[in-house]
Amino acid sequence: MPKRFSASDYSEGILAGNRVRLSQAITLVESTLPSDQELAQQVLDAVLPHAGRSVRVGITGVPGVGKSTFIEALGLHLVREKGHRLAVLAVDPTSQRSGGSILGDKTRMNELAAHPQAFIRPSPAGRSLGGVTRSTREALLLCEAAGHDVIFVETVGVGQSETAVHGMVDFFLLLMLAGAGDELQGIKKGIMEMADAITITKADGGNELAARRARAEYQNALHLFPLAPSKWSPEVTISSALTGQGVPDVWQVLEKYVAQTRASGYFAQRRQEQNLHWLHETIRQSLETQFYARPAVQQQLAALEQAVREGRQSAFGAAGQLLGL
Ligand SMILES: Nc1nc2c(ncn2[C@@H]2O[C@H](COP(=O)(O)OP(=O)(O)OP(=O)(O)O)[C@@H](O)[C@H]2O)c(=O)[nH]1
Ligand SMILES: [Mg+2]
């Protein structure tokens, strides 16, 4: 039985930069036990005034595009050259792999994982998108309170998790491969529209020319999208995580974005909107959980489902009956 810490044990440890306590607190926010959740909320409330001072970056792209290798290269640049403190989190609700994608990938992030200014945390395994999104967002706040001033949130660019990640970050980076059609890359137009920057990966060896061509194509394609509320025109770069070429350029684009949107007020406004969205999302989720946990609902749900399936009762009527319980 692990020792049970108090809320202030956690919050003081986190604020002092204690990585073990940070990890334990993230485990706490990932827990679905009501007693853990209560404690987790106390910890979050205690550290919240110290959170928020970071740049939050979403990173997405189809499996194999080179996300892990790129995060290792850019991450090392940030901690070594720029003196940043980086945290890498993941939203990977589909992962059945032990501990999620990042852990299986740690071989690709060896040096970064071992760096004292970097903190890497895999996606909680076996949870719904809503559950993973909530705990990742809370983990992000804990990392900020621990002094991490750059947060990467990685997700695999194939499903709905991009929208969830987009809703918790300041800047959204899409990794693409040259020489493969969009269909091949499984990237939907909606995901391209969310991107503040695209980098064409693996621009090395015989691939460089194709990468330059792809860059021009994507830049043109992005110009066709209406200007985003940020008033920022997304930029396309090419990079190789293998040689390191073009990797710092991606960070320069981000710094330009942050400077521009901070000056315009959009940066702060977007965070406020995200907080509000999160308030309503939390209410919606807890109402739903409470509803399905009611004994009367649990007793009658199956029978009403059956009635709706067989057309004996309308969905609307059955829902009304359950909600009235
Ligand atoms: N030539 C070249 N190969 C690269 C580069 N970056 C990654 N790769 C290779 O591409 C493959 C996939 O890289 P990962 O970093 O694991 O890709 P990923 O997007 O994290 O993949 P998932 O975790 O499965 O979603 C590996 O074999 C890498 O060695 C690069 O810049 N140049
Ligand atoms: Mg990976």
Side-chain angles (χ1 to χ4, degrees):
M1 201 49 195
K3 179 184 177 316
R4 187 131 174 109
F5 296 108
S6 70
S8 57
D9 289 336
Y10 283 108
S11 59
E12 282 162 22
I14 290 168
L15 295 176
N18 180 334
R19 301 159 63 92
V20 175
R21 206 65 78 242
L22 173 61
S23 283
Q24 290 165 332
I26 295 178
T27 304
L28 194 67
V29 301
E30 287 170 356
S31 168
T32 48
L33 286 177
S35 61
D36 284 348
Q37 289 194 354
E38 200 176 305
L39 187 56
Q41 289 315 312
Q42 291 170 10
V43 176
L44 281 162
D45 284 341
V47 303
L48 204 58
H50 307 274
R53 286 185 282 262
S54 82
V55 177
R56 305 166 180 170
V57 185
I59 299 182
T60 196
V62 294
V65 70
K67 293 180 295 298
S68 305
T69 320
F70 179 83
I71 289 173
E72 163 98 356
L74 178 57
L76 286 172
H77 172 68
L78 296 181
V79 295
R80 287 177 180 160
E81 252 73 59
K82 297 269 185 176
H84 284 298
R85 291 187 61 200
L86 171 69
V88 183
L89 308 171
V91 168
D92 185 8
T94 54
S95 178
Q96 298 304 315
R97 290 171 277 181
S98 64
S101 68
I102 288 193
L103 197 62
D105 263 8
K106 270 214 167 158
T107 46
R108 299 214 192 285
M109 299 197 210
N110 256 338
E111 280 184 73
L112 187 61
H115 198 285
Q117 283 153 248
F119 178 84
I120 300 184
R121 177 82 181 191
S123 182
R127 301 276 307 277
S128 68
L129 178 59
V132 175
T133 309
R134 180 186 61 77
S135 55
T136 305
R137 194 178 182 280
E138 292 177 345
L140 183 155
L141 298 171
L142 295 173
C143 288
E144 288 178 343
H148 291 279
D149 62 347
V150 177
I151 317 280
F152 287 172
V153 186
E154 183 198 330
T155 187
V156 175
V158 286
Q160 295 172 315
S161 47
E162 290 67 45
T163 316
V165 170
H166 186 251
M168 66 173 95
V169 297
D170 307 307
F171 184 88
F172 200 68
L173 173 67
L174 174 61
L175 270 52
M176 298 279 264
L177 288 169
D182 293 358
E183 315 78 48
L184 267 182
Q185 300 199 27
I187 290 290
K188 303 198 175 57
K189 183 166 164 275
I191 295 180
M192 272 190 61
E193 274 176 323
M194 286 192 286
D196 298 301
I198 293 177
T199 188
I200 315 289
T201 57
K202 307 190 190 180
D204 45 52
N207 214 1
E208 218 178 316
L209 197 66
R212 288 187 193 289
R213 211 173 293 139
R215 176 189 177 186
E217 282 169 18
Y218 283 121
Q219 194 73 70
N220 285 337
L222 287 176
H223 281 319
L224 299 176
F225 290 150
L227 195 63
S230 59
K231 307 270 195 305
W232 165 260
S233 323
E235 291 195 19
V236 188
T237 69
I238 64 173
S239 59
S240 165
L242 212 61
T243 67
Q245 265 207 317
V247 173
D249 298 2
V250 176
W251 196 249
Q252 278 180 13
V253 171
L254 176 136
E255 285 181 329
K256 210 164 96 184
Y257 172 90
V258 171
Q260 184 180 314
T261 54
R262 278 223 169 105
S264 71
Y266 178 80
F267 191 95
Q269 180 202 330
R270 172 155 159 176
R271 281 206 175 174
Q272 284 172 1
E273 281 165 9
Q274 288 175 338
N275 282 341
L276 270 189
H277 169 81
W278 195 246
L279 168 70
H280 291 287
E281 184 59 22
T282 308
I283 292 172
R284 196 187 58 72
Q285 276 183 25
S286 23
L287 282 176
E288 192 176 307
T289 308
Q290 283 168 27
F291 173 76
Y292 285 108
R294 274 185 224 160
V297 170
Q298 287 181 349
Q299 272 165 24
Q300 296 188 38
L301 186 62
L304 282 163
E305 278 178 350
Q306 186 67 16
V308 170
R309 208 179 287 127
E310 290 168 2
R312 286 184 281 111
Q313 195 163 2
S314 75
F316 192 76
Q321 204 171 317
L322 284 165
L323 286 165
L325 288 173

